[in-house]
Amino acid sequence: MDHQTKQDQATSRRKFLKAPVVAGAVAGAVLSPGQLFAGTQGAIPSIRIPKEIPETLTEKPKDASFSGKGMTGAEVFAKLCKEEELAAMFCCPGNYTVINAIAAAGVPAYGGRTEGAMCAAADGFSRVTGEVTACSGTEGPGFTHMIMNIAAANSARTPLLVLASNMQIAGDDREQFIQIMQQQPLTTGIKKYGKRLIAPNRVYEYGTYAFRNLKSGVPGPVHLDFPGEVARARFTDASTLTDYYTKEKYRTGSRPHPSSKDMALAIEMITRAERPIIVAGQGVFQRGGCDALQAAAEKNEVAVVTSGPMRGHFPDDHRLSASLSPDALMSADLVVFIGQYCMPSPGEYRFSADVKTIRVHPEQDDLGRNWPLDLGIVSDEKIFLDQLAGNMPAKKRDAWVNELAAARKKFEDTNLDHYQLGLKHSAATDHLHPAVMAKEVHDFLYKGDIDPKQTVTGCGGWTSGIFAGRWLRANRPGQGVACGYQFGAIGPDLAMMIGAGAAVQRGVGPQAPYKGAPVLCITSDAGIAYSLFELDTAAKYKIPVIAVVYNNNSWGMWPSAVGSARSMHMYLFQENLRYDKMAEGLGARGEYVKSVGEFREALKRSYHAAATETVSSLINVQALKEFTSGRDYAPGIALPPEPGVGAFAH
Amino acid sequence: MTRAFLFRGLVLVALAALIHAQDNKTPLTVDEAKKLRNPIPFSQKSIKQGHGVFVRYCTSCHGNDGKATVDVVADATDLTAPKTWKNGTTEGEIFRSIREGEGASMPAFKGQIPQQEDVWHLVNFIISLWPEDMRPPLHDDK
């Protein structure tokens, strides 16, 4: 057996599970730089993880107490975070008192290279688990660096706790020392709730405000800023804190139930329809309604298409999935939106103008927004789906199921046509076409030895994201991330997937069966600039990420400059930049590919390193900017039909 | 050359172009496109059908109203202002732009909209977005 065959076999899931992957703490493992980073000889020291990292990660949590010296305001807040099961915190140093207290309390904590990327990482962790996560940065510069990704989290309705220090109340309006600014106005419009804490004895009370908002109704970012007087205040007696009681008293788990009349009408409308379809939004995932959704859909043969910032809450490979059947959408005569928080307008989703509509939403005041309804139902998503599965009669819809299958075949055939064109272009130019890149990732993850339900993927970038979106699959809850969902930020992709990787590493929620598995991110050369340095963070915490970087030497929007004088230079980078070399400089592996054969081998090697050594890789896929344009290299790019695979607007 | 002969010649050229247009695999040239005529009358029924195609394939770049005011997609054409168009405004040229793609940004849609009839309906819908004084008279659906 040759060496390569041995490597190939080592990439199987069975072998992978036997590998000594340690979730969570690094458990004392120190990278072996000689194995990971070639070219460090002589007097140049190798990249290595300092011993303090595994040491401090394996320390036991420290319980804060009112006795003795008492608790700081930061410790009071951290204790609340722990009791509320805050799933993880991603931060850069700054807001020291608070982040130290949260880490000491036992909340899994990660420190990275930029606050913006850490915010995206926290968002990514939440998108693949549904859990509340936090990000933190220092006052002023660190906080403002997070803004783009707070906005992205807001568009994605992520339950994200945004924390930042904010100097001292005593220095307000005096420009005392440095980094003075008012934070709360800056997050206006991109948060669900926010507060600058100004009364130290109300630190717990405002913490309860935060978690009440994060865990009730439609989620969204909550932003708290901590002046020093609050974070460093000391409390030796719980009675000095306002509203200091347990979570059962400051928020409720009670959820809205549909009325029996609404439920009966919904069942009648669905049963009477010939081609009903459920648009399963993020609320289905976040509220734990995936199993009920599948049961309801199967019972009455209702088609399902998923939407939202995460994917997989209905499996793409299910016969009733319409996520790969865009041409069937126009045939639907009834659409049932469930948990669709970011609501499209008619025309933005590919449904007939005459389609009847039911919308199920946990809050009454959003029903009827953007999309005219035939029936609006106030209900928790899971409760509605449970009742639907329980009360709806069984029904067969052979014609509808056959139409879904035919539309899926057409979609997949079109993808294959694009792949064949891409192969031709790749061979002719000695550069890799994005259709080939996307198809090869697809085959590697879903057609080979790896369990097709295992690998969590996410994609972004313009040309790269549009092609990848057609080929990435989500066959179980939390398996996919639409990195650019709704806000359309270019760049958070890798950081978001490192956050998702942290969730997989710990086996949180739906990631439990795949604990420790590698995650894969497809992004662009434009996008990677925003979060490349987080490969250091991935290495530090041994989060195995495979980053496929589509390098076309440009911003994907370069066609905007065509025909415009003195403009193109603004859209182009130096050609043939080596992101693989940059990755090596950050302690990850680097691969450089220009052909399909090279790419296949690079994927195998990268997966092997990720699965067996928890080492991340960056694969630089060298392409040409002209592949974006159908003028010379058909098919060019067309925005994906929505809803369905590749959708990112709603 | 007699007038009748000339007329027969033009018909033959137009027919050849039309037959050519039915073959999705062979690219349609600009000259061929200019000779094409929409076989489907400009009627409310056709415009409605074209709108259905437009909603499916075009709104993400050109917007619901065709004005392409969202600056996310590179330089999409304002379909309501034909005087600003760069690649022709005849029915055939519009047909060609849709089928073969146009400029650096717009992809070919002959794969996604394989039925020629759908493209012609779409042409009619696009023309319906023009200023009233530029539109042809509506054909009576009856």
Side-chain angles (χ1 to χ4, degrees):
Chain A
M1 189 183 291
D2 63 22
H3 175 68
Q4 189 56 59
T5 308
K6 283 179 188 169
Q7 275 200 341
D8 294 352
Q9 290 192 349
T11 60
S12 74
R13 173 162 168 71
R14 186 163 52 84
K15 288 260 174 86
F16 157 69
L17 287 172
K18 287 182 184 170
V21 177
V22 179
V26 177
V30 176
L31 282 174
S32 172
Q35 293 174 347
L36 302 178
F37 187 38
T40 54
Q41 295 173 354
I44 301 173
S46 298
I47 296 170
R48 65 171 173 242
I49 296 174
K51 66 180 188 310
E52 291 92 338
I53 289 178
E55 281 175 6
T56 51
L57 278 167
T58 50
E59 283 177 11
K60 287 188 175 158
K62 182 184 164 195
D63 290 331
S65 158
F66 287 110
S67 61
K69 287 183 183 174
M71 296 165 75
T72 64
E75 286 171 328
V76 169
F77 181 75
K79 187 167 183 288
L80 174 67
C81 289
K82 181 66 179 167
E83 286 166 359
E84 282 282 9
E85 298 174 344
L86 179 67
M89 175 183 68
F90 294 82
C91 64
C92 289
N95 199 17
Y96 312 108
T97 319
V98 172
I99 64 169
N100 290 353
I102 289 175
V107 173
Y110 300 85
R113 301 301 297 264
T114 67
E115 290 84 352
M118 289 295 92
C119 182
D123 190 350
F125 190 115
S126 180
R127 290 192 193 194
V128 298
T129 60
E131 299 292 331
V132 175
T133 55
C135 60
S136 177
T138 191
E139 45 259 285
F143 164 70
T144 50
H145 198 274
M146 289 194 275
I147 288 295
M148 176 178 84
N149 291 320
I150 298 172
N154 183 65
S155 294
R157 275 67 163 179
T158 301
L160 176 69
L161 178 58
V162 179
L163 306 171
S165 48
N166 202 352
M167 299 309 289
Q168 292 176 287
I169 300 165
D172 272 0
D173 306 318
R174 298 178 65 93
E175 295 184 276
Q176 193 174 58
F177 194 40
I178 56 172
Q179 302 189 340
I180 302 294
M181 69 170 295
Q182 292 183 42
Q183 291 184 15
Q184 292 298 327
L186 215 59
T187 49
T188 301
I190 55 171
K191 66 187 166 192
K192 183 178 179 186
Y193 173 77
K195 182 71 180 174
R196 171 165 167 79
L197 308 186
I198 53 171
N201 69 321
R202 298 181 72 183
V203 63
Y204 185 89
E205 179 190 349
Y206 279 113
T208 69
Y209 265 80
F211 282 99
R212 188 163 49 247
N213 276 279
L214 289 161
K215 296 200 166 188
S216 308
V218 174
V222 167
H223 168 205
L224 299 181
D225 67 274
F226 286 79
E229 288 94 333
V230 174
R232 291 168 178 271
R234 286 219 166 257
F235 302 94
T236 55
D237 182 352
S239 67
T240 58
L241 292 162
T242 55
D243 295 2
Y244 189 76
Y245 33 68
T246 56
K247 59 188 172 193
E248 293 76 22
K249 294 182 189 293
Y250 64 73
R251 64 180 178 85
T252 176
S254 177
R255 305 281 173 177
H257 284 59
S259 73
S260 54
K261 184 182 161 195
D262 284 346
M263 204 67 226
L265 190 50
I267 289 172
E268 185 195 334
M269 288 172 73
I270 294 170
T271 307
R272 201 171 50 213
E274 288 184 14
R275 286 172 162 73
I277 188 167
I278 291 172
V279 177
Q282 65 190 96
V284 173
F285 174 72
Q286 289 170 323
R287 289 292 307 130
C290 302
D291 290 343
L293 170 66
Q294 195 160 326
E298 287 172 354
K299 193 170 183 186
N300 202 273
E301 294 207 323
V302 181
V304 179
V305 60
T306 60
S307 68
M310 70 291 291
R311 300 205 64 254
H313 28 294
F314 192 82
D316 285 341
D317 57 4
H318 195 286
R319 70 189 178 90
L320 292 171
S321 170
S323 292
L324 283 78
S325 306
D327 278 4
L329 299 177
M330 287 291 276
S331 297
D333 56 353
L334 174 71
V335 57
V336 186
F337 289 103
I338 306 175
Q340 175 88 27
Y341 295 160
C342 180
M343 204 56 200
S345 298
E348 290 188 293
Y349 269 6
R350 194 185 278 195
F351 291 124
S352 155
D354 305 324
V355 73
K356 298 276 185 206
T357 301
I358 299 172
R359 185 173 173 212
V360 180
H361 192 72
E363 294 175 352
Q364 184 185 15
D365 58 7
D366 206 59
L367 285 165
R369 182 171 66 87
N370 295 353
W371 195 291
L373 304 179
D374 295 282
L375 176 61
I377 299 178
V378 181
S379 176
D380 174 83
E381 294 86 347
K382 181 178 186 300
I383 292 167
F384 175 83
L385 285 163
D386 280 336
Q387 292 199 16
L388 201 61
N391 299 324
M392 198 160 51
K395 186 165 180 173
K396 300 293 281 180
R397 302 175 192 273
D398 292 342
W400 187 210
V401 173
N402 290 340
E403 185 175 344
L404 292 172
R408 172 189 287 257
K409 182 172 186 311
K410 187 183 170 197
F411 179 80
E412 290 176 333
D413 287 348
T414 302
N415 282 354
L416 287 172
D417 289 346
H418 293 176
Y419 175 65
Q420 291 301 329
L421 284 169
L423 283 176
K424 196 173 78 176
H425 300 325
S426 299
T429 62
D430 192 28
H431 288 75
L432 206 59
H433 188 273
V436 178
M437 173 188 74
K439 161 78 157 53
E440 292 297 330
V441 168
H442 171 276
D443 288 359
F444 182 73
L445 294 181
Y446 315 123
K447 300 288 183 190
D449 292 338
I450 301 168
D451 177 353
K453 291 187 187 301
Q454 176 197 280
T455 310
V456 175
T457 64
C459 66
W462 185 241
T463 309
S464 55
I466 287 173
F467 276 97
R470 296 180 72 93
W471 284 101
L472 294 180
R473 300 289 176 263
N475 297 318
R476 50 94 178 171
Q479 200 186 351
V481 179
C483 297
Y485 181 75
Q486 173 53 205
F487 196 60
I490 297 287
D493 324 321
L494 178 60
M496 206 173 272
M497 293 312 296
I498 288 172
V504 179
Q505 185 191 51
R506 290 179 178 277
V508 177
Q511 309 306 334
Y514 309 99
K515 186 174 179 175
V519 300
L520 185 141
C521 174
I522 297 179
T523 187
S524 64
D525 49 351
I528 195 68
Y530 291 82
S531 48
L532 175 70
F533 259 66
E534 301 310 329
L535 283 174
D536 174 38
T537 311
K540 189 172 132 179
Y541 292 100
K542 298 185 77 68
I543 299 169
V545 181
I546 301 164
V548 177
V549 177
Y550 177 74
N551 181 0
N552 68 350
N553 311 314
S554 64
W555 292 94
M557 289 298 180
W558 65 267
S560 291
V562 173
S564 182
R566 292 169 51 81
S567 300
M568 187 59 85
H569 63 93
M570 296 186 285
Y571 295 76
L572 305 183
F573 312 140
Q574 295 180 82
E575 293 184 351
N576 305 313
L577 289 174
R578 296 294 298 273
Y579 299 100
D580 52 318
K581 294 290 182 194
M582 298 177 205
E584 287 175 355
L586 289 163
R589 292 178 65 259
E591 297 269 6
Y592 177 85
V593 302
K594 288 170 76 180
S595 72
V596 62
E598 289 170 353
F599 187 46
R600 284 176 187 162
E601 294 306 311
L603 280 171
K604 285 181 193 169
R605 287 190 295 268
S606 300
Y607 187 86
H608 177 74
T612 62
E613 299 175 65
T614 61
V615 173
S616 295
S617 297
L618 185 152
I619 305 175
N620 184 117
V621 175
Q622 192 59 51
L624 297 172
K625 75 176 192 304
E626 286 78 9
F627 289 157
T628 300
S629 170
R631 182 176 52 190
D632 301 316
Y633 297 99
I637 56 168
L639 291 178
E642 301 206 357
V645 291
F648 56 80
H650 292 93
Chain B
M1 189 181 290
T2 65
R3 191 178 293 176
F5 182 77
L6 184 63
F7 177 75
R8 277 198 295 274
L10 283 172
V11 168
L12 282 173
V13 168
L15 194 61
L18 193 61
I19 290 166
H20 187 80
Q22 303 300 321
D23 167 16
N24 266 346
K25 288 182 181 167
T26 313
L28 191 62
T29 67
V30 174
D31 287 340
E32 288 167 343
K34 282 178 180 171
K35 292 165 191 160
L36 283 179
R37 294 290 173 269
N38 192 341
I40 300 172
F42 182 69
S43 67
Q44 284 296 0
K45 189 177 169 190
S46 171
I47 291 167
K48 189 179 175 191
Q49 284 184 254
H51 179 253
V53 181
F54 184 78
V55 165
R56 291 165 82 164
Y57 300 107
C58 312
T59 53
S60 49
C61 294
H62 293 280
N64 283 342
D65 57 6
K67 291 183 177 175
T69 48
V70 178
D71 196 25
V72 171
V73 177
D75 205 20
T77 297
D78 177 354
L79 300 176
T80 70
K83 286 182 180 171
T84 65
W85 294 6
K86 297 171 188 166
N87 300 295
T89 58
T90 68
E91 296 166 335
E93 286 167 319
I94 301 169
F95 177 91
R96 179 182 176 277
S97 292
I98 297 165
R99 208 183 81 150
E100 305 295 342
E102 202 55 83
S105 299
M106 181 163 158
F109 278 87
K110 58 188 168 192
Q112 295 188 67
I113 317 176
Q115 300 300 323
Q116 309 274 329
E117 198 175 314
D118 288 338
V119 180
W120 285 120
H121 286 307
L122 182 55
V123 169
N124 279 338
F125 173 74
I126 290 166
I127 290 172
S128 80
L129 299 173
W130 290 3
E132 196 169 354
D133 59 353
M134 294 184 71
R135 283 181 238 151
L138 262 179
H139 188 271
D140 190 348
D141 281 325
K142 293 172 189 172

